[in-house]
Amino acid sequence: GQNIDQPTEMTATEGAIVQINCTYQTSGFNGLFWYQQHAGEAPTFLSYNVLDGLEEKGRFSSFLSRSKGYSYLLLKELQMKDSASYLCAVGAGNNRKLIWGLGTSLAVNP
Amino acid sequence: GAVVSQHPSWVICKSGTSVKIECRSLDFQATTMFWYRQFPKQSLMLMATSNEGSKATYEQGVEKDKFLINHASLTLSTLTVTSAHPEDSSFYICSAKAQTETYNSPLHFGNGTRLTVT
């Protein structure tokens, strides 16, 4: 079956670093996306990984290990506005459909 | 670029009535549109995929006669929730993909529609 696991909730302090993990078990793999979603809003794209390694984009970085079925999103220099839900999604199957995780709700405290 | 407009942002309707939600691609031609539903503190659940000019493909468990999807043009897709009931209350989000985009292109999302059925 298709399965994506993420922690449900995380808490961090403003200015700190936080790592949000995502593990997946899917039939086929066509890349992994991270999206950010503020309450009541649509998701916004953060990153895409299809090869192993780290992709850095400003304060956000995303890592992928295909052999381990594992990815993480690293957020540095946390700001209050980073409080949101972070969704991990994997492209899988012959139709390359996106399989979505349940999301990790991150609360950034002052 | 790649702006998707979804309307209305929120709607309240009475049980038994129908509600239409529109999803428009403003600056590109969307050959494929996806309709998602999201319950509180849950992830996105894909309801159906629609390609311009053809019938939508519904996910397992989604009633096609209840959730009518029309994708008659390259810039507009509509989702009609027919005979809505309180359990249909949810956040509905559309996303679109242009013909030139590949499977690894990020999705362009609308801002979502909060449906409340009383």
Side-chain angles (χ1 to χ4, degrees), chain A residues 9 30-31 33 35 37 39-45 48 50 87-88 96-98 100-103, chain B residues 36 38 41-46 49 59 91 93-94 103-112 114:
Chain A
E9 296 178 340
N30 295 303
F33 294 85
Y35 283 84
Q37 185 179 26
E41 299 180 9
T44 55
F45 170 76
Y48 171 75
V50 68
L87 304 170
C88 172
R96 296 167 173 169
K97 188 181 299 182
L98 278 184
W100 293 84
L102 292 178
Chain B
Y36 291 89
Q38 187 176 33
K41 297 190 177 182
Q42 298 286 315
S43 190
L44 298 174
M45 188 198 80
L46 180 64
T49 303
E59 295 300 303
F91 190 52
I93 311 175
C94 71
Y103 65 88
N104 59 346
S105 298
L107 294 175
H108 311 295
F109 285 94
N111 286 328
R114 172 73 58 193

Side-chain angles (χ1 to χ4, degrees), chain A residues 29 32 34 47-56 61-67 70-73:
Chain A
F29 177 80
L32 186 146
W34 283 97
S47 66
Y48 171 75
N49 294 67
V50 68
L51 299 177
D52 290 351
L54 186 68
E55 294 277 345
E56 296 185 78
S61 302
S62 56
F63 172 84
L64 175 68
S65 169
R66 289 173 296 172
S67 62
Y70 167 70
S71 172
Y72 68 72
L73 179 69

Side-chain angles (χ1 to χ4, degrees), chain A residues 79-91:
Chain A
Q79 302 175 9
M80 298 297 289
K81 67 178 183 179
D82 297 329
S83 294
S85 181
Y86 291 85
L87 304 170
C88 172
V90 175

